[in-house]
Amino acid sequence: MNKTIPVTKNEYIDVVFEDLTHDGAGVAKVDGYPLFVPNGLPGEKAKVKVIKTGKSYGFGRLIELYEKSPYRVEIPSSERHKYGGCQLEHISYEGQLKYKENQVREVLTRIGKLEDVIVHPILGMENPWHYRNKAQVPVGEKDGKLIAGFFKPRSHEIVDTDESLIQLPEINQAVQTIKEICSRLAIPAYQEESHKGVLRHIMARFGKQTGELMVVLITRTAELPQKDKLVEEITARLPKVKSIVHNVNSKRTNVILGEKAKVLWGSEIIYDYIGEVKFAISALSFYQVNPVQTKVLYDMALEYADLSGEETVIDAYCGIGTISLFLAQKAKKVFGVEVVPEAIEDAKRNAELNGLANAEFAAGEAEVVIPKWYKEGNTADVLVVDPPRKGCDEALLQTIIDMKPKKVVYVSCNPATLARDLRILEDDGYKTVEVQPVDMFPMTTHVECVAAMILKEEAGTQ
């Protein structure tokens, strides 16, 4: 017998929000039927309009608040602030941290069945604004001028944005300056519908510790109009720029960067530091966008690894070697694995840059390379994983179980897959000791964690 849906489309109803979804929408229930409503906060009473219904849940729009949450804060009402990816900017920072910490605790209990694990208070930022060191913004045209900013939710309509509250000021300045220059030089914007035009995206990267700026102009065409004049004006107006790169992406795709890149001016790379470790960053390099909190995250990984200098460490999903090089400062030997060959080349260059000869890197899938190493008789005292949002591959988890490193340090960008993978390892010989949430992306719903695991047989000897 089908259950009757208690609400209908376009109906106005009064609700009380009970929770937040993983993407920050308020959750209200009508006779047990969940309604997901953006901008609603737990404890608030409100009038909402039902805009869509499904068999198991529906969606609504917030119409009027009767009672506000103590964590609600007023946000700028202008268009420029609405579409910058800041899903939680209407929540005080204290409230955001509470929400994220509760999210971690909830999924560890519900998904991982880990009720006795120590979850430490989340580590937030002293200043949760203007922290991102990278922007890549789409470019369009309106009223004969270039616009650049963010897409409206669930659309490809660009909202012209003169400031992002989570980007570093140098990044905001670079994007706006380049937009103005390109508009004045009449460089045509890319037209997605017709696949015509030139300028697709403006990208900027900034080394917070070094003060070095990189600008990347991403075009559909191999030729960049007014190239010399463009370089001249950028270098004149942005004195911190060290690198100007032209990247060509001629495909019909949502992927931002193409495979071909050419340095128009300056260096191929800029530098930045995380702690004492120096990194060379190219246009195509993966580099954490919040270096302040990255150091917090990696310091916790290093603390959980608890290295004496005699250990062999394997770092799965090593990227450009960021965690690997942190670990190499304290370990006897570190082996890093990453599927992207260009990232491995960056990792090797960064190891050489820092004089860390005890770090070696291999290109390939972690779930293929590490099992191969194990079959060849290679093992590790500590194994560190920092997987994508989907979590660890089953083959890698099985290799960890078979290899039996004394410690596993799990760095996660998705609490749900973290809880799932911890449960798998718990069922086959490991014990989760503690979990440290870290707020890498204030004003967004994302939360990172570091989890420390040890072999249960090792736990019994301590």
Side-chain angles (χ1 to χ4, degrees):
M1 183 177 175
N2 293 331
K3 186 177 180 181
T4 303
I5 297 173
V7 296
T8 57
K9 185 178 178 180
N10 295 326
E11 180 182 3
Y12 289 85
I13 56 174
D14 292 342
V15 299
V16 177
F17 294 113
E18 301 176 11
D19 201 355
L20 290 175
T21 66
H22 68 279
D23 58 359
V27 181
K29 291 184 179 179
V30 182
D31 295 335
Y33 180 81
L35 273 180
F36 303 141
V37 183
N39 205 30
L41 298 183
E44 292 186 329
K45 295 181 180 180
K47 175 185 287 187
V48 304
K49 180 181 180 180
V50 179
I51 58 174
K52 185 178 179 180
T53 60
K55 290 182 179 179
S56 302
Y57 54 85
F59 297 90
R61 181 182 299 118
L62 183 63
I63 302 299
E64 181 181 356
L65 280 173
Y66 302 134
E67 292 185 16
K68 293 184 179 181
S69 164
Y71 293 119
R72 179 174 290 278
V73 294
E74 295 302 317
I75 59 174
S77 59
S78 62
E79 284 274 295
R80 68 181 188 173
H81 296 299
K82 289 184 179 179
Y83 308 109
C86 300
Q87 305 99 330
L88 302 184
E89 67 177 351
H90 60 295
I91 307 176
S92 70
Y93 194 50
E94 178 189 359
Q96 292 180 37
L97 295 179
K98 180 180 178 182
Y99 157 67
K100 294 182 182 186
E101 186 180 315
N102 286 344
Q103 181 190 11
V104 173
R105 294 179 188 276
E106 190 271 332
V107 297
L108 287 175
T109 301
R110 177 173 53 84
I111 298 175
K113 305 297 188 287
L114 300 168
E115 298 181 0
D116 59 343
V117 172
I118 298 170
V119 179
H120 297 288
I122 189 170
L123 299 174
M125 296 190 74
E126 183 177 346
N127 176 14
W129 300 99
H130 296 298
Y131 60 83
R132 286 184 62 95
N133 59 13
K134 176 185 175 183
Q136 41 195 23
V137 299
V139 177
E141 290 184 13
K142 186 176 182 180
D143 299 329
K145 292 185 178 181
L146 290 189
I147 59 173
F150 300 97
F151 290 123
K152 283 188 176 182
R154 296 173 295 280
S155 82
H156 275 209
E157 181 184 347
I158 298 172
V159 178
D160 195 28
T161 309
D162 57 6
E163 179 187 20
S164 166
L165 297 179
I166 58 176
Q167 305 282 11
L168 288 170
E170 292 86 354
I171 295 290
N172 284 325
Q173 180 191 14
V175 171
Q176 294 309 309
T177 299
I178 294 163
K179 179 176 70 174
E180 292 168 11
I181 294 171
C182 290
S183 187
R184 190 170 63 255
L185 295 177
I187 297 174
Y190 173 64
Q191 304 295 329
E192 186 177 16
E193 300 82 5
S194 62
H195 194 55
K196 294 181 179 179
V198 177
L199 187 60
R200 299 178 71 135
H201 284 79
I202 297 168
M203 176 173 154
R205 310 187 79 148
F206 186 69
K208 187 171 173 62
Q209 299 303 316
T210 61
E212 297 180 353
L213 175 67
M214 171 182 284
V215 166
V216 184
L217 301 162
I218 301 148
T219 66
R220 180 189 65 86
T221 56
E223 292 300 315
L224 177 59
Q226 304 268 36
K227 179 174 61 179
D228 294 339
K229 185 66 174 174
L230 190 55
V231 168
E232 179 186 336
E233 292 208 27
I234 290 173
T235 53
R237 293 186 58 185
L238 297 172
K240 293 182 179 181
V241 71
K242 301 294 181 185
S243 172
I244 303 176
V245 176
H246 177 206
N247 179 271
V248 179
N249 183 354
S250 60
K251 298 178 181 178
R252 281 185 177 268
T253 176
N254 289 331
V255 175
I256 294 174
L257 289 167
E259 297 176 359
K260 297 179 182 178
K262 178 182 178 182
V263 176
L264 298 180
W265 181 88
S267 172
E268 177 189 359
I269 58 174
I270 60 172
Y271 295 100
D272 199 17
Y273 287 85
I274 300 176
E276 300 297 318
V277 183
K278 188 176 185 180
F279 293 96
I281 307 159
S282 70
L284 300 178
S285 292
F286 172 80
Y287 184 67
Q288 293 282 8
V289 299
N290 185 343
V292 173
Q293 289 298 86
T294 297
K295 183 177 185 303
V296 173
L297 189 77
Y298 291 178
D299 280 346
M300 289 308 310
L302 193 57
E303 180 180 323
Y304 284 173
D306 192 24
L307 301 172
S308 66
E310 298 300 317
E311 295 87 358
T312 297
V313 181
I314 291 177
D315 178 16
Y317 313 99
C318 70
I320 65 169
T322 43
I323 294 181
S324 300
L325 300 183
F326 259 62
L327 297 165
Q329 296 175 101
K330 302 287 185 181
K332 180 180 179 181
K333 188 77 176 180
V334 176
F335 296 92
V337 188
E338 170 59 49
V339 70
V340 181
E342 294 83 0
I344 287 296
E345 293 307 309
D346 283 342
K348 292 176 179 177
R349 176 166 55 182
N350 288 325
E352 184 177 350
L353 185 64
N354 290 277
L356 293 169
N358 63 331
E360 292 186 16
F361 299 95
E365 296 177 334
E367 55 268 25
V368 174
V369 174
I370 296 174
K372 179 175 176 288
W373 284 349
Y374 179 62
K375 287 180 180 178
E376 293 170 350
N378 299 313
T379 187
D381 302 295
V382 180
L383 198 144
V384 179
V385 296
D386 184 8
R389 291 189 61 79
K390 67 178 182 179
C392 291
D393 186 90
E394 288 182 18
L396 177 57
L397 291 172
Q398 188 58 52
T399 300
I400 295 172
I401 291 164
D402 294 339
M403 185 184 285
K404 291 184 169 60
K406 294 178 181 178
K407 296 172 188 169
V408 174
V409 179
Y410 195 131
V411 181
S412 167
C413 61
N414 184 345
T417 53
L418 169 67
R420 180 201 67 198
D421 292 349
L422 293 182
R423 180 70 266 161
I424 292 170
L425 294 173
E426 283 255 350
D427 289 340
D428 280 284
Y430 281 90
K431 176 177 174 57
T432 307
V433 180
E434 53 191 322
V435 176
Q436 176 62 70
V438 178
D439 188 25
M440 287 279 285
F441 306 103
M443 308 301 146
T444 80
T445 57
H446 299 294
V447 57
E448 305 248 341
C449 296
V450 187
M453 303 191 84
I454 59 173
L455 273 172
K456 289 178 181 175
E457 58 194 59
E458 290 289 323
T461 65
Q462 294 181 10

